[in-house]
Amino acid sequence: MMNVMERNNVRITGEGDNTIVFAHGFGCDQLVWKEVIEEFKANYRVVTFDYVGSGQSDKQAYSPERYSSLHGYKQDLLEICASLEGENFIFVGHSVSSMIGMLASIERPELFSKLVMIGPSPYYMNEPGYRGGFDKADISELLDMMEVNYKEWAKYLAPVAMRNEDRPELAENFEQLLCSNDPLIARQFAEVTFTSDMRSELEKLTVPTLIMQPQFDAIAPLEVGHYIHDQIPESRLVIMEAMGHNPHISDAAETVAVIKEYLAE
Amino acid sequence: MEEQLYVAPVGYLVMDHGLRIIEMNKTMAEMIGLETSPSHMHDLLTIASRVYFQTYFIPSIMTHGAVSEMYLSLKSSAGPVPVLMNTRMRNGLFQCALMQVPIRNEYENELLNAKREAEQVSRATAEANGKLTALLGEVECKQSELNVLNSRLKELTVTDVLTGLKNRRYLEEFLPELIKEGQTAILMIDIDFFKKVNDTFGHHAGDIVLKSLADVLEAAIGDTGFAARVGGEEFVAVLPAVGLAKAEELAEHIRKRVELHEWPYQPITVSIGVAQNSSGNSLSELLQPADAALYNSKNAGRNRVTVAS
């Protein structure tokens, strides 16, 4: 049996009867939750992790086959939940993680009591009658841009790690972080994220869901937030004051407040 | 804004936390060439740039207070403008310098394309290699099959079909070598009055007698050597490393076993000639001394053994 806790760099903090699992989106890792989780530690058991291929996960565990669809990432999440033991988890997912959490809860509804989606989108491509926000050319331009900028965001990730006293080992492994697999993994994660069509799954979701829609979100536009709200039977849509696709980083206080209000019900 | 900064040869803009643009210099405005001044950073960016920017800018600037060399593509009235952007956080605002890099961008694209082509070539090479290796494996497999078939075929060409003994061809090929290797005794064995069996009982009966004789010879010779059929009713026993006296003994043993064997149609006997250390190049030369001895046995009344003088 593989060690999921190590593979996905699972971190457990805080104390409480209920467990919140925070799941990062494409292009980052669990560090994005740093500020937000501080506010939950007093009352909840707080779980953060890195998907295989992201952050400090075990990159050896990455396989292009398994992670060629969101179901591979869903499998990560289900395996983490199995390792944690228990049910009725509260799941908070950013961006593509919203859809990963949704897939997991469709497969195992009893595992989750509530879902929180931050800036979700079930499909990023434009189609007649649906505006996901992107055309094929946009996606390929994005992939090129990632390639050109690769060194830059690799550098961004590394010093983050260096500053983090929890993970001093990373400074030494700076070179490893730049290992040749990373750009390929990031590229495939981007392709999977931007080309997965989850629209037909939305109505299968039975777990109560909060949709947090920031303003001026270039990745998940407002009308997509409304679309999801219409499709998920038991959902609530909150339009945030925060702007951009990363409210949990740029506006942690509002993000925390909205989640807490929803959980208090 | 100071005059110098306003016209500096680099785009400069300041935005707040919400990425709303507070001010920009003249160079920046000219770079994008838009008529109305954009109010939000997103208005400056192509769709892909917006996604990239939202994914990496905020996380990076919030962690480090700075972003360096971020490659972005700006919308402008004249089409997309590639830029590199540096940003510093100061007094809660983001100060950004944007440098146009159209020429560098061309190089970069060429490099990227070259890299992709190289990757493509290397993938194709690896694939071709894989195929070659598979083919090589197949060839090796076929080769070993062929070897098995060949040796089977070879076996067939040196085997007498009727009796299963070695045939004349085998002796032609190997007897000279055997004789060169050391002392080798040779027995020439001929069935007495075999023609009568064929004439009286038919060729089928003759074949049965030949087969039975082959069995008797093999049983009698055992590990001492081997028997071959060299003609119609003519057999040869080759006995490597066997002296003349011992060979004569074995010949006598064979003669007796044949005489005592229970033959189906009529009693059968053999005449035998024994010789050793014959010399020569052709098979008939090598067999000649034993053949001469056999002739003597026939002349002396058959069913007997003669040793070459």
Side-chain angles (χ1 to χ4, degrees):
Chain A
M1 177 75 187
M2 73 195 142
N3 188 340
V4 174
M5 306 303 267
E6 258 174 48
R7 185 192 67 183
N8 288 93
N9 190 26
V10 179
R11 302 286 161 131
I12 304 172
T13 53
E15 261 180 65
D17 296 335
N18 293 316
T19 300
I20 309 187
V21 178
F22 288 90
H24 69 83
F26 157 71
C28 44
D29 65 17
Q30 60 180 297
L31 284 180
V32 296
W33 299 112
K34 209 173 167 185
E35 224 177 308
V36 167
I37 59 177
E38 284 308 319
E39 304 302 320
F40 289 93
K41 284 179 182 172
N43 298 307
Y44 295 92
R45 182 163 75 130
V46 172
V47 177
T48 56
F49 67 95
D50 299 329
Y51 287 110
V52 168
S54 300
Q56 289 310 299
S57 64
D58 177 5
K59 303 227 165 89
Q60 300 298 316
Y62 190 84
S63 98
E65 292 75 39
R66 172 168 161 133
Y67 298 100
S68 64
S69 81
L70 293 183
H71 290 275
Y73 293 98
K74 169 202 75 184
Q75 210 54 45
D76 273 20
L77 178 58
L78 287 175
E79 284 161 11
I80 290 164
C81 289
S83 297
L84 292 170
E85 292 175 2
E87 341 190 287
N88 292 324
F89 295 117
I90 297 157
F91 176 85
V92 179
H94 171 233
S95 194
V96 68
S97 258
S98 307
M99 294 300 115
I100 296 168
M102 174 183 77
L103 290 176
S105 75
I106 290 170
E107 191 170 318
R108 301 279 310 279
E110 76 286 358
L111 275 183
F112 303 95
S113 62
K114 278 177 175 170
L115 296 191
V116 176
M117 301 179 168
I118 302 175
S121 172
Y123 191 44
Y124 292 91
M125 309 297 280
N126 294 326
E127 251 185 24
Y130 177 83
R131 284 207 58 79
F134 298 91
D135 291 320
K136 272 226 162 78
D138 300 325
I139 302 301
S140 76
E141 190 188 335
L142 172 67
L143 294 176
D144 286 354
M145 192 162 284
M146 285 176 57
E147 209 163 345
V148 173
N149 273 317
Y150 160 61
K151 279 246 166 94
E152 177 54 23
W153 52 261
K155 264 186 285 175
Y156 140 66
L157 284 173
V160 169
M162 285 174 188
R163 282 187 177 193
N164 193 321
E165 284 162 16
D166 301 350
R167 313 195 293 191
E169 74 279 4
L170 292 185
E172 295 156 29
N173 294 340
F174 179 57
E175 291 299 317
Q176 271 181 10
L177 200 70
L178 293 172
C179 96
S180 62
N181 256 339
D182 289 4
L184 294 178
I185 293 173
R187 190 185 172 93
Q188 195 184 12
F189 197 6
E191 280 170 344
V192 170
T193 297
F194 288 106
T195 56
S196 292
D197 186 354
M198 293 288 130
R199 286 175 295 174
S200 61
E201 303 289 331
L202 294 171
E203 59 175 27
K204 299 180 195 163
L205 185 53
T206 55
V207 176
T209 301
L210 170 66
I211 302 155
M212 294 171 64
Q213 174 68 49
Q215 304 184 42
F216 297 106
D217 185 337
I219 297 173
L222 189 60
E223 51 186 299
V224 169
H226 282 293
Y227 177 88
I228 296 182
H229 178 46
D230 289 344
Q231 300 290 315
I232 299 177
E234 211 176 323
S235 68
R236 172 182 309 167
L237 175 65
V238 171
I239 311 291
M240 299 178 72
E241 297 286 324
M243 297 199 195
H245 192 55
N246 292 292
H248 52 311
I249 305 172
S250 60
D251 299 85
E254 189 195 0
T255 305
V256 168
V258 172
I259 296 175
K260 277 194 173 167
E261 194 192 327
Y262 183 68
L263 297 183
E265 290 171 14
Chain B
M1 194 182 292
E2 277 172 43
E3 172 73 10
Q4 253 188 331
L5 182 56
Y6 191 64
V7 296
V10 63
Y12 174 77
L13 67 83
V14 178
M15 55 187 167
D16 68 9
H17 238 74
L19 307 180
R20 281 174 291 256
I21 296 172
I22 292 169
E23 59 175 339
M24 65 169 67
N25 70 355
K26 185 161 167 261
T27 317
M28 187 72 229
E30 283 170 0
M31 200 188 289
I32 50 179
L34 298 177
E35 288 187 359
T36 54
S37 181
S39 61
H40 196 273
M41 184 62 185
H42 286 169
D43 300 335
L44 294 185
L45 301 168
T46 64
I47 291 180
S49 283
R50 256 186 237 170
V51 172
Y52 186 80
F53 184 77
Q54 287 219 344
T55 306
Y56 292 107
F57 180 78
I58 288 291
S60 202
I61 196 87
M62 297 307 267
T63 327
H64 308 303
V67 166
S68 302
E69 279 185 63
M70 182 175 270
Y71 169 84
L72 295 169
S73 190
L74 301 186
K75 285 195 290 195
S76 89
S77 48
V81 180
V83 295
L84 288 180
M85 182 181 76
N86 279 7
T87 304
R88 297 284 175 277
M89 191 151 68
R90 188 162 165 265
N91 301 330
L93 296 176
F94 303 139
Q95 300 178 316
C96 311
L98 292 92
M99 178 73 80
Q100 278 177 273
V101 287
I103 296 173
R104 203 146 276 275
N105 190 49
E106 261 176 49
Y107 289 146
E108 206 140 54
N109 282 339
E110 274 173 33
L111 275 176
L112 263 186
N113 285 335
K115 182 178 160 235
R116 280 185 199 141
E117 267 168 41
E119 281 166 358
Q120 178 60 35
V121 166
S122 119
R123 262 198 303 277
T125 310
E127 210 173 288
N129 258 337
K131 275 188 194 160
L132 264 181
T133 313
L135 273 179
L136 204 65
E138 245 174 70
V139 166
E140 271 167 15
C141 188
K142 290 271 177 241
Q143 184 70 51
S144 77
E145 270 175 39
L146 205 60
N147 286 343
V148 170
L149 277 179
N150 264 342
S151 62
R152 175 97 191 92
L153 208 60
K154 177 114 189 165
E155 187 70 30
L156 282 177
T157 59
V158 297
T159 302
D160 177 55
V161 179
L162 179 66
T163 60
L165 298 179
K166 298 294 183 217
N167 62 12
R168 187 174 190 93
R169 186 199 301 265
Y170 181 85
L171 289 187
E172 277 167 353
E173 199 166 326
F174 292 108
L175 194 56
E177 277 175 44
L178 273 175
I179 286 176
K180 258 181 232 152
E181 271 170 28
Q183 73 169 6
T184 301
I186 289 171
L187 315 184
M188 282 295 292
I189 305 155
D190 193 277
I191 302 175
D192 298 328
F193 303 114
F194 181 69
K195 195 172 174 297
K196 221 170 79 189
V197 179
N198 271 340
D199 291 349
T200 317
F201 305 100
H203 284 284
H204 180 67
D207 288 350
I208 288 173
V209 169
L210 290 169
K211 271 194 240 181
S212 301
L213 180 65
D215 293 341
V216 172
L217 289 178
E218 279 196 313
I221 296 166
D223 296 338
T224 320
F226 65 89
R229 180 174 173 227
V230 292
E233 71 270 27
E234 248 184 357
F235 295 81
V236 168
V238 178
L239 311 171
V242 170
L244 207 52
K246 183 95 181 101
E248 187 183 2
E249 216 173 275
L250 183 60
E252 186 53 31
H253 174 66
I254 290 170
R255 189 199 63 75
K256 261 192 202 141
R257 272 183 86 144
V258 172
E259 191 174 27
L260 297 176
H261 189 76
E262 281 191 27
W263 296 96
Y265 305 99
Q266 63 169 53
I268 295 289
T269 59
V270 290
S271 302
I272 300 177
V274 182
Q276 199 200 15
N277 295 340
S278 50
S279 62
N281 294 318
S282 68
L283 182 62
S284 47
E285 279 177 292
L286 292 174
L287 295 182
Q288 200 278 327
D291 208 28
L294 169 64
Y295 187 75
N296 289 338
S297 287
K298 292 274 186 195
N299 280 346
R302 298 188 167 79
N303 190 21
R304 68 190 62 220
V305 173
T306 310
V307 177
S309 49

